[in-house]
């Protein structure tokens, strides 16, 4: 199925569906990466081979979708978008799965809209002081510095937003149309979500909301020394989600670090941090078929 788009909250969301039959899995990558990021579709295709249909989508501020600036945090905005996307496509309730930032978006969607979710699968979960601060400094701080320095014109020149404009030229005007004062206020709120706080195992989300996750849940724990997706965070979340299943990663314990080193060295010319995700397909399929 080729790319399609649907308007949600005043912005276009680009999506595609893989597979012809079976239950739906809404699959979400991490960061501000698109559904076309290397490593995601091999996993999606394996899930399709296992008898499922897979919804891939460019979240707001990712890929070819329109940029949007609303919500308590960026993940809250994405959770609301996924809710409306699942509802508009009439594919719910469905399985929700995601890694890294997509894991946070998937968990939050399940917490806030449990009626839309049948099962939950998450991996590479961000947490801890280092992981949270890195995200805030990488995704939010440059926009704050830009809008304070030169308004929305400077924001549109930030590398992250230049990528969004390159993929969707309409995004330039959407950025320029933002009120600088309101944009700064929003960015500060989004940044606050990444400040580690007692009672928030994942950034910007109160631990008490984990009580809302009652569906069968598979957690693939973080690697032994993965500072971005700490093993400790996965273990804590397994305690917070009653009855969840926690398994060791099907990829090497140091997969994330080695991929990061390869990318930094310049030996790998494309983004390769998600290449190992396809290795989780057997464990995910087994869980989906056996959990009740």
């Amino acid at each position: 199925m080729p790319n399609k788009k649907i308007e949600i909250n005043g912005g276009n969301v680009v999506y595609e569906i893989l597979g012809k039959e079976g239950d739906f899995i809404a699959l979400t990558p991490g960061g501000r990466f698109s559904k076309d990021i290397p490593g995601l579709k091999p996993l999606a295709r394996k899930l399709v081979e296992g008898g499922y249909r897979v919804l891939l989508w460019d979240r707001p501020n990712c890929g070819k979708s329109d940029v949007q600036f609303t919500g308590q945090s960026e993940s809250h905005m994405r959770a609301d978008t996924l809710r409306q996307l699942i509802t508009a496509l009439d594919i719910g309730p469905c399985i929700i799965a995601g890694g890294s930032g997509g894991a946070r978006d998937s968990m939050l969607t399940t917490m806030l809209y449990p009626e839309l979710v049948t099962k939950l699968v998450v991996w590479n979960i961000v947490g801890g002081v280092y992981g949270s601060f890195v995200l805030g400094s990488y995704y939010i701080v440059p926009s704050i510095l830009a809008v304070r320095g030169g308004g929305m014109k400077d924001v549109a020149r930030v590398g992250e937003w230049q990528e969004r404009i390159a993929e969707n030229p309409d995004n330039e005007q959407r950025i320029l149309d933002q009120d600088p004062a309101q944009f700064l206020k929003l960015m500060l709120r989004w940044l606050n979500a990444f400040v580690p706080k007692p009672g928030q195992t994942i950034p910007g989300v109160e631990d008490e909301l984990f009580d809302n996750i009652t569906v069968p849940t598979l957690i693939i724990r973080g690697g032994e020394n993965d500072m971005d997706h700490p093993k400790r965070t996965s273990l804590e979340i397994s305690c917070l989600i009653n009855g969840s299943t926690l398994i060791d990663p099907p990829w090497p314990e140091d997969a994330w670090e080695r991929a990061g080193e390869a990318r930094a060295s310049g030996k790998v010319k494309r983004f390769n941090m998600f290449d190992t995700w396809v290795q989780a397909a057997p464990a995910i399929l087994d869980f989906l078929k056996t959990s009740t």
Side-chain angles (χ1 to χ4, degrees), residues 23-79:
D23 294 338
F24 270 95
I25 302 173
L27 180 60
T28 307
R32 285 203 183 121
F33 299 111
S34 80
K35 62 181 178 59
D36 299 313
I37 189 72
L40 187 67
K41 283 193 176 176
L43 171 59
R45 293 189 185 104
K46 285 294 184 181
L47 297 176
V48 169
E49 290 175 12
Y52 294 89
R53 286 176 286 180
V54 177
L55 168 68
L56 298 174
W57 61 303
D58 281 348
R59 296 159 290 165
N61 305 340
C62 303
K64 296 179 176 64
S65 289
D66 288 345
V67 295
Q68 297 199 45
F69 305 105
T70 63
Q72 178 180 331
S73 73
E74 198 162 13
S75 282
H76 283 80
M77 176 182 70
R78 292 168 174 169

Side-chain angles (χ1 to χ4, degrees), residues 137 140-151 154-155 158 183-184 187:
S137 63
I140 311 298
V141 170
S143 292
I144 292 174
L145 295 173
V147 73
R148 293 184 67 203
D154 277 11
V155 173
V158 170
F183 181 82
L184 175 59
M187 287 295 108

Side-chain angles (χ1 to χ4, degrees), residues 3-289:
N3 284 345
K4 291 192 174 182
K5 62 183 179 181
I6 187 171
E7 184 175 321
I8 295 176
N9 291 334
N12 288 321
V13 175
V14 174
Y15 70 94
E16 66 178 304
I17 293 173
L18 304 184
K20 301 297 184 182
E21 58 184 9
D23 294 338
F24 270 95
I25 302 173
L27 180 60
T28 307
R32 285 203 183 121
F33 299 111
S34 80
K35 62 181 178 59
D36 299 313
I37 189 72
L40 187 67
K41 283 193 176 176
L43 171 59
R45 293 189 185 104
K46 285 294 184 181
L47 297 176
V48 169
E49 290 175 12
Y52 294 89
R53 286 176 286 180
V54 177
L55 168 68
L56 298 174
W57 61 303
D58 281 348
R59 296 159 290 165
N61 305 340
C62 303
K64 296 179 176 64
S65 289
D66 288 345
V67 295
Q68 297 199 45
F69 305 105
T70 63
Q72 178 180 331
S73 73
E74 198 162 13
S75 282
H76 283 80
M77 176 182 70
R78 292 168 174 169
D80 178 63
T81 303
L82 183 55
R83 170 187 69 87
Q84 295 193 53
L85 180 59
I86 290 171
T87 302
L89 298 178
D90 194 24
I91 64 171
C94 65
I95 301 157
I96 291 187
S100 199
R104 183 172 60 257
D105 296 345
S106 297
M107 286 186 286
L108 189 53
T109 301
T110 307
M111 294 169 180
L112 297 178
Y113 315 108
E115 71 281 359
L116 292 180
V117 186
T118 57
K119 296 180 182 181
L120 174 66
V121 181
V122 290
W123 60 92
N124 281 27
I125 305 169
V126 172
V129 172
Y130 173 81
S132 299
F133 271 35
V134 164
L135 291 184
S137 63
Y138 186 84
Y139 288 115
I140 311 298
V141 170
S143 292
I144 292 174
L145 295 173
V147 73
R148 293 184 67 203
M152 297 311 300
K153 287 184 178 180
D154 277 11
V155 173
R157 297 189 186 105
V158 170
E160 186 74 20
W161 301 122
Q162 281 288 301
E163 293 178 7
R164 302 292 79 76
I165 292 167
E167 292 182 280
N168 177 355
D170 291 344
N171 279 331
E172 181 170 25
Q173 194 58 50
R174 290 181 66 86
I175 292 170
L176 294 175
D177 286 345
Q178 301 298 312
D179 176 80
Q182 291 302 313
F183 181 82
L184 175 59
K185 185 176 181 179
L186 179 83
M187 287 295 108
L188 290 170
R189 186 166 72 240
W190 283 10
L191 179 64
N192 185 52
F194 291 113
V195 177
K197 302 174 183 67
Q200 291 189 2
T201 302
I202 59 175
V205 180
E206 299 295 332
D207 282 349
E208 64 187 37
L209 286 177
F210 278 100
D211 291 342
N212 294 347
I213 301 180
T214 59
V215 295
T217 299
L218 175 65
I219 301 166
I220 302 173
R221 70 161 175 81
E224 192 68 40
N225 297 305
D226 187 341
M227 293 177 64
D228 295 286
H229 318 100
K231 176 181 178 180
R232 171 180 172 177
T233 298
S234 301
L235 297 176
E236 289 177 351
I237 289 173
S238 73
C239 295
L240 289 166
I241 302 178
N242 188 38
S244 60
T245 299
L246 177 74
I247 64 172
D248 293 340
W251 41 75
E253 293 281 353
D254 61 351
W256 188 261
E257 293 94 320
R258 300 294 82 79
E261 290 171 0
R263 187 182 183 212
S265 71
K267 296 178 181 178
V268 177
K269 300 302 182 183
R270 62 174 181 80
F271 186 91
N272 68 315
M273 308 291 272
F274 301 158
D275 282 359
T276 56
W277 284 10
V278 67
Q279 297 175 33
I284 293 172
L285 290 169
D286 180 67
F287 172 80
L288 294 179
K289 294 183 186 303

